[in-house]
Amino acid sequence: MARSSSGESCAESDKWTGGLHRFLCMQGGNHDGSYAKNSEAPASAITLCKPILLAAIRSMRLFAREDEGSHSCSIRVVDLGCATGYNTLATVGMVVESLRERYIGELGFEPEFEAFFSDLPSNDFNSLFRSLSGMDSNEKKPRRYFVAGVPGTFYRRLFPGGKLHVAVSLSALHWLSQIPGEVLDKGSRTWNKGRAWIDGAKEEVVEAYSRQSEEDLDNFLKCRKEEIAEGGILFMLMGGRPNSQEPGNQLGDAESRAKHPFATSMDQAWQDLLNEGLIDEETRDGFNIPAYMRSMEEVERAMLKCGGFEIQKMEYKRIREHSDQKKREELITDPVSHGRAKANLVRATLGPIVEAHIGPHLSEELFQRFERRVSSDVSLLRKTCFYGVIIVCAIRK
């Protein structure tokens, strides 16, 4: 494979820094490798945090008086980083229905609800709205909110000041706005040689990611501070790690590292492409996954720095992969299906950015190597992967 010229290298670097928003997204559609078919872990995390979100909604301020009438009150809910599929639609529907019940029960009228689904322009909004259209055909449970899609990065302003009442971000904030520029500098100590991610990477690489994560979260909170009305809710669910773990230890334990789709098997798949002569070393080392698992301390520090929010609840929890016992037992006895399932999960989360880096043909070659690696390592079948998440509920002061 021919090596790129310096001009092409510069363009490649720009793609991963300022241009990442053009292709960072979950895999669209409704096929086996789509996010809609491979979002069990986010669904488990949402189920885990559902009681916290519902408790916040039941105790939040209502934004209308009984004598104002229903048409003078419009309640606005947004899912920031909505992706596609059932998770976002179910969450927004739950929020709207819970608020609706409160308004009817406490104020005696039903306000109008506006629901905004927001993600990067590369998100498959068409699939999302097709799913919504399917829900509309259910006459027994009609949709009770108006809908709009809002394309754009949540690290910038998306809405007018003080207009949002409930803002949720579910399993999205661990994705960074860009790969730190210094990580893409081949001549620097932050060049992430031989790794696709930062778990176990050199200290300089991890520190660069940490700085980018801090900048991104600061920007996210500043924007929401402007957009959320006083008394409104900001609810965040993001990949995370406990305070006791250093940033370089993103996953926490050897079994999670062995089975996590971003770690060992991913690095092996890239190495396979290199060993087979399908890519060169610079192409392998130039791919970096733009994700960072923050600690609760990092999140709390950012919120205190921003001001304007009162933290109601903050928790760290661990979620077991394949929470469905029956499915877990089936995969243990079928390594081929296990490898295919893991490869589809990788396609769903990393497919678009891998394809942007090496093109559709080599992208498929990579996922095939990944599937083969996982299927052939029978020791993985008995290992357990845990995903750490941080749940934050805050009120706009």
Side-chain angles (χ1 to χ4, degrees):
M1 181 175 178
R3 294 185 180 275
S4 57
S5 67
S6 59
E8 289 172 331
S9 296
C10 182
E12 182 75 9
S13 177
D14 290 344
K15 179 175 72 176
W16 292 108
T17 53
L20 184 60
H21 65 278
R22 293 197 296 268
F23 51 85
L24 175 60
C25 62
M26 300 298 100
Q27 186 66 59
N30 200 39
H31 50 82
D32 287 345
S34 68
Y35 182 75
K37 291 286 184 69
N38 293 276
S39 51
E40 180 192 343
S44 297
I46 292 168
T47 299
L48 189 69
C49 73
K50 181 178 176 180
I52 300 173
L53 177 55
L54 286 176
I57 291 170
R58 288 169 186 148
S59 63
M60 73 178 288
R61 165 190 166 186
L62 297 182
F63 290 87
R65 295 193 307 272
E66 186 176 3
D67 59 357
E68 287 182 325
S70 62
H71 293 293
S72 65
C73 178
S74 181
I75 304 301
R76 301 175 191 89
V77 178
V78 61
D79 183 359
L80 297 156
C82 62
T84 63
Y86 175 79
N87 290 343
T88 184
L89 299 176
T91 301
V92 167
M94 179 188 73
V95 169
V96 169
E97 190 59 31
S98 299
L99 282 171
R100 175 177 169 272
E101 290 175 1
R102 279 198 66 197
Y103 273 91
I104 293 173
E106 297 177 34
L107 299 183
F109 72 91
E110 180 179 350
E112 293 184 328
F113 289 94
E114 300 174 62
F116 301 99
F117 295 90
S118 181
D119 211 317
L120 293 171
S122 49
N123 185 55
D124 188 357
F125 284 100
N126 286 335
S127 288
L128 176 64
F129 290 129
R130 278 196 295 270
S131 299
L132 192 67
S133 178
M135 292 176 63
D136 286 343
S137 63
N138 184 355
E139 297 179 357
K140 295 181 179 179
K141 196 173 182 180
R143 174 166 54 87
R144 301 184 185 278
Y145 52 87
F146 297 99
V147 178
V150 181
T153 172
F154 53 39
Y155 294 123
R156 297 179 184 171
R157 285 284 301 275
L158 293 166
F159 299 94
K163 296 298 184 181
L164 297 177
H165 302 102
V166 179
V168 300
S169 181
L170 307 173
S171 299
L173 271 166
H174 48 270
W175 294 104
L176 302 179
S177 65
Q178 62 179 33
I179 301 296
E182 56 265 48
V183 174
L184 301 170
D185 182 356
K186 186 180 179 182
S188 75
R189 289 180 58 82
T190 52
W191 180 248
N192 197 18
K193 183 177 177 60
R195 293 182 183 273
W197 195 37
I198 62 165
D199 185 75
K202 293 184 296 185
E203 183 178 354
E204 292 87 353
V205 177
V206 176
E207 288 177 352
Y209 265 72
S210 178
R211 288 191 296 271
Q212 185 64 56
S213 167
E214 181 179 1
E215 177 184 326
D216 284 346
L217 188 55
D218 285 349
N219 288 336
F220 176 88
L221 292 172
K222 287 176 185 175
C223 293
R224 306 298 85 77
K225 180 180 176 180
E226 295 296 321
E227 295 168 351
I228 298 175
E230 183 179 333
I233 289 176
L234 173 61
F235 189 87
M236 299 178 288
L237 168 68
M238 67 188 86
R241 66 182 202 280
N243 289 333
S244 59
Q245 285 177 211
E246 293 298 319
N249 182 11
Q250 291 274 289
L251 298 176
D253 64 86
E255 288 200 2
S256 292
R257 186 169 295 111
K259 292 196 75 171
H260 195 284
F262 291 0
T264 305
S265 298
M266 175 58 62
D267 290 337
Q268 291 172 341
W270 280 103
Q271 186 64 39
D272 287 343
L273 291 188
L274 177 63
N275 292 343
E276 294 170 35
L278 296 176
I279 60 171
D280 59 21
E281 195 171 283
E282 187 172 344
T283 300
R284 178 199 64 182
D285 297 339
F287 178 80
N288 292 274
I289 299 171
Y292 180 86
M293 308 302 168
R294 301 178 180 92
S295 67
M296 289 205 299
E297 182 181 346
E298 288 172 315
V299 176
E300 184 175 18
R301 184 167 63 240
M303 297 203 71
L304 291 174
K305 178 181 176 182
C306 177
F309 291 101
E310 179 182 343
I311 299 175
Q312 299 289 298
K313 200 172 191 66
M314 181 183 295
E315 294 184 3
Y316 169 80
K317 292 183 179 292
R318 296 179 84 204
I319 301 169
R320 182 175 185 167
E321 182 186 47
H322 301 313
S323 55
D324 186 314
Q325 179 68 25
K326 183 178 180 181
K327 182 175 182 179
R328 189 161 62 245
E329 291 174 354
E330 289 175 353
L331 290 175
I332 285 176
T333 60
D334 188 353
V336 174
S337 293
H338 177 243
R340 187 181 306 117
K342 295 291 282 190
N344 283 336
L345 175 61
V346 173
R347 284 185 176 94
T349 52
L350 300 180
I353 62 173
V354 172
E355 188 169 320
H357 186 56
I358 57 177
H361 173 69
L362 285 176
S363 175
E364 185 56 31
E365 294 288 336
L366 177 75
F367 297 134
Q368 289 177 7
R369 303 306 184 280
F370 181 94
E371 180 176 338
R372 193 180 306 156
R373 282 283 185 175
V374 175
S375 298
S376 63
D377 188 351
V378 293
S379 68
L380 292 177
L381 296 173
R382 296 290 173 181
K383 289 181 169 64
T384 301
C385 180
F386 288 93
Y387 297 94
V389 295
I390 293 174
I391 304 166
V392 185
C393 182
I395 302 296
R396 178 71 174 91
K397 296 191 292 187

